[in-house]
Amino acid sequence: LRKIEPLTSGQDLIEMGLQPGPFFKAILEAVLDAKLNKEIDSREDEIEFIRAMVQKSAPAVRGRAF
């Protein structure tokens, strides 16, 4: 059984303009769930998934536009 992990990290979230916080864990867990459900596959898919998730969230979660 291979270990499935997100290809993105907290550092990637920071580079996307997000402010570090406890929601980073929720974002990365959502990415992992989507990978396990075969909804996303590549690093690019993960980044698109995260961007969509952030766009739907409260403005406080968004640091600056990316």
Side-chain angles (χ1 to χ4, degrees):
L1 185 70
R2 67 184 181 157
K3 187 173 182 182
I4 298 175
E5 295 179 343
L7 300 172
T8 50
S9 67
Q11 184 60 42
D12 293 307
L13 299 179
I14 291 169
E15 290 173 7
M16 291 171 73
L18 299 175
Q19 299 298 317
F23 59 89
F24 272 29
K25 180 178 178 182
I27 291 171
L28 294 174
E29 285 177 350
V31 169
L32 178 58
D33 287 344
K35 285 184 73 94
L36 291 172
N37 290 321
K38 300 185 188 259
E39 296 169 15
I40 57 177
D41 185 53
S42 67
R43 185 174 192 284
E44 291 78 20
D45 291 341
E46 290 183 20
I47 291 171
E48 287 180 31
F49 180 85
I50 292 166
R51 285 188 172 147
M53 189 175 174
V54 170
Q55 291 298 322
K56 293 178 185 177
S57 69
V61 173
R62 291 178 266 172
R64 58 184 166 86
F66 36 81

